[in-house]
Amino acid sequence: VVATSLMSVRAREAAERLSAAGGPSVSVVNVTRITPSPWREIAALVDGREFAVFLDESRGPGSPASYLLARVAETDPGARLRLVCCADAPSPFSTALLDEIVPTVERIEESLREAAAG
């Protein structure tokens, strides 16, 4: 999993849940900078992996994760890559509703299971 900030925390929790349930082993890379883009380092980390999930709490188009995924896909067209990001919906005014659009640990865990299944 390639993630930033809060999403890396949630990804670690999802990875721990999967491991405890006997699911696939998942590594989490916390991207600590966007500029200059670390896409080459990310591409090297993804190389040879069974799959990679790019996780972002931004909306997909134009998000840092979508950019990194696109650059990695250019270097490895056969890689199994998946983008998990904020739902393409207006941001709710109520903070209680944010979990409806921002990736939760449960949504991340489900996406990891799906990615591992192929």
Side-chain angles (χ1 to χ4, degrees), residues 56 58-67 83 85-89:
D56 201 322
S58 302
R59 283 182 178 70
S63 70
S66 66
Y67 173 77
L83 177 65
C85 57
C86 188
D88 193 15

Side-chain angles (χ1 to χ4, degrees), residues 29-86:
V29 176
N30 182 17
V31 178
T32 58
R33 74 181 200 289
I34 300 300
T35 304
S37 175
W39 75 268
R40 286 182 178 87
E41 294 95 328
I42 300 299
L45 289 170
V46 169
D47 187 38
R49 303 282 178 163
E50 188 176 329
F51 63 91
V53 174
F54 291 76
L55 181 58
D56 201 322
E57 62 186 302
S58 302
R59 283 182 178 70
S63 70
S66 66
Y67 173 77
L68 291 172
L69 184 147
R71 295 305 304 258
V72 170
E74 288 174 351
T75 64
D76 187 359
R80 288 181 28 212
L81 308 174
R82 177 180 290 247
L83 177 65
V84 178
C85 57
C86 188

